[in-house]
Amino acid sequence: MQISEEDFESAVRDALDEVPSELLGMLDNVAFFIEDEPGPEYADPDFSPEENAQLLGIYVGTPLTERDGGWAAGALPDRIVLFRGPLSRLSADMDELREEIAITIVHEAGHHVGIDEQRLHDLGWA
């Protein structure tokens, strides 16, 4: 589906309302960003170029479980980046888009709190 930047931002706001408040409350020093497509700076060397191009979102930062006492000194916020292109191409309509965005936010927030990829898949947040 095609979607404007403004409508996508609105869908993200709506999707955030669907994310469990307990999880959002656990986020510490995290900023949300929207980019059109995943660039090479987000590429996973274990994935093919096609798989990297389908990335819906990514967590960039230091998980809570890996932070030590000196972590916060001068630390920039961690980031959860959502990719408008792949998310909108995956979705047939606005309801499906909001659902995919919410799932992606939960998935990436899970990484922030220290949940690994396999566990997120096991929990159904993949």
Side-chain angles (χ1 to χ4, degrees):
M1 72 178 279
Q2 295 289 335
I3 187 168
S4 70
E5 289 180 28
E6 296 81 18
D7 288 342
F8 189 83
E9 289 174 11
S10 177
V12 170
R13 285 190 296 275
D14 292 343
L16 279 166
D17 290 339
E18 302 301 317
V19 175
S21 59
E22 298 82 10
L23 179 60
L24 290 177
M26 295 173 71
L27 300 182
D28 179 37
N29 200 30
V30 177
F32 286 85
F33 292 89
I34 297 169
E35 294 187 18
D36 286 332
E37 299 290 337
E41 67 274 23
Y42 302 118
D44 185 325
D46 294 331
F47 291 170
S48 70
E50 293 79 19
E51 290 170 317
N52 279 310
Q54 295 173 23
L55 189 64
L56 304 179
I58 192 164
Y59 167 69
V60 180
T62 303
L64 295 177
T65 54
E66 296 178 17
R67 295 180 182 181
D68 59 21
W71 172 85
L76 294 173
D78 290 1
R79 297 180 295 142
I80 291 176
V81 184
L82 303 170
F83 299 111
R84 183 169 60 102
L87 280 161
S88 61
R89 287 190 294 273
L90 180 66
S91 304
D93 57 35
M94 286 299 289
D95 289 335
E96 193 172 311
L97 177 62
R98 282 188 290 271
E99 181 179 341
E100 289 299 334
I101 293 169
I103 290 168
T104 302
I105 291 170
V106 169
H107 183 98
E108 302 310 333
H111 288 310
H112 172 71
V113 299
I115 303 172
D116 68 20
E117 195 71 29
Q118 184 58 53
R119 183 70 179 135
L120 286 166
H121 281 271
D122 293 345
L123 293 169
W125 293 110

